[in-house]
Amino acid sequence: MESGEMLIKRIQKGDVLAFRHFFEGFYPSLMYVAVKYLHDPVIAQDIVQDAFLYYWNKRLEIHSVLSARAYLYKYVKHRCLNSVRDNRGKNGDVSAMADDIRYRDLILEDETFAALYKAIYSLAPQSQKVLELTLEGKRNQEIADELSITINTVKTIKLRAYRSLRTELRDVHFVFFMFGRLQQKCIF
C-alpha cells in the first residue's frame, strides 16, 4: 500500500491516477461536511469538486497529506460560508458554520468513521457482518439468531475482530475513544 506522502509526491508530478485515488478516498469526507452545513447536495458537490480542482492547480505548493486535507477542508469551509452568506436562509445556518469547534468535530467524526469502516472491511466477511450488526445496535443473541451461529461464536468473532481493529487503528487516536465506547455498549 502506498503511503500518503508518496501519493502527494506523485500528484505534485502531475500523476492523474494518483490524484484520482486521493479524490476517491477523500471526496466523501468533504461531501459529508459540505452537505451537513448547506443541506443541498448539488451545491455541496459543486463546492467539493471546485476544491479538488483548485488543489490540483496548487498541487506544487502542498507537500503532505495533512496539508492537503487541511487545505481542502479550509477551502470547502470558506466556500460554504460564502454560499450561506449569499443565500441566507435557504441553505444553512451562518452561526452553525461559524462555529469552528463544531466544524472540527464533524471532520474528526467523519475521519474516524472512515478509518473504522475501512478497517472493518479489511476483516474476514463473517467478522465484517458481526461488527456491522453490532454497529446497528443489535445484541449478541440477535446477531447469533440472524447469522445462524451460536452466541459464543459471536463473542469469539467480536473479541478477535476488536483485537485486529486495535492493531489496525493504533495510529488513529480518536478511534480508540470511540472504540472504547463501542465496546462498552456491546455485551461480551
Side-chain angles (χ1 to χ4, degrees):
M1 182 177 212
E2 182 175 40
S3 78
E5 302 312 314
M6 289 300 297
L7 188 66
I8 294 299
K9 286 180 182 179
R10 286 179 50 208
I11 291 169
Q12 285 179 323
K13 292 177 183 176
D15 186 333
V16 176
L17 290 176
F19 182 74
R20 181 178 179 166
H21 180 71
F22 181 78
F23 176 89
E24 289 172 351
F26 200 48
Y27 179 83
S29 298
L30 290 173
M31 277 296 294
Y32 175 80
V33 171
V35 169
K36 187 83 170 174
Y37 288 114
L38 297 173
H39 308 290
D40 186 335
V42 175
I43 295 172
Q45 184 177 24
D46 287 344
I47 288 173
V48 171
Q49 287 175 350
D50 285 348
F52 278 102
L53 180 62
Y54 196 72
Y55 167 59
W56 177 257
N57 291 329
K58 299 284 187 179
R59 69 186 180 276
L60 295 175
E61 300 170 24
I62 299 172
H63 304 287
S64 72
V65 173
L66 289 175
S67 295
R69 287 178 175 217
Y71 182 84
L72 287 167
Y73 275 121
K74 191 173 184 180
Y75 182 94
V76 168
K77 175 187 173 185
H78 288 288
R79 288 289 309 275
C80 287
L81 280 170
N82 291 341
S83 179
V84 169
R85 181 195 64 218
D86 296 343
N87 299 300
R88 200 166 270 144
K90 290 186 213 172
N91 297 355
D93 181 14
V94 174
S95 63
M97 278 299 293
D99 186 357
D100 281 340
I101 293 171
R102 182 172 174 212
Y103 181 74
R104 280 182 294 222
D105 288 347
L106 283 171
I107 293 169
L108 291 174
E109 177 185 328
D110 184 56
E111 290 293 318
T112 301
F113 277 109
L116 178 61
Y117 277 99
K118 181 179 178 186
I120 288 172
Y121 290 116
S122 72
L123 299 172
Q126 191 171 34
S127 296
Q128 289 177 24
K129 188 65 179 166
V130 167
L131 289 182
E132 286 173 359
L133 294 171
T134 300
L135 289 172
E136 290 174 12
K138 295 193 177 187
R139 297 199 173 275
N140 288 345
Q141 187 61 56
E142 294 171 312
I143 295 169
D145 293 344
E146 186 169 326
L147 299 178
S148 301
I149 57 178
T150 68
I151 192 167
N152 285 333
T153 302
V154 171
K155 291 177 183 179
T156 301
I157 289 170
K158 285 170 106 175
L159 181 64
R160 290 179 181 160
Y162 288 146
R163 284 181 185 156
S164 178
L165 290 177
R166 276 192 201 99
T167 301
E168 180 79 21
L169 300 171
R170 68 183 170 272
D171 295 330
V172 184
H173 304 289
F174 294 102
V175 172
F176 281 109
F177 172 71
M178 292 182 64
F179 197 57
R181 286 183 49 200
L182 193 124
Q183 276 190 310
Q184 290 171 358
K185 290 182 180 179
C186 303
I187 299 171
F188 283 94

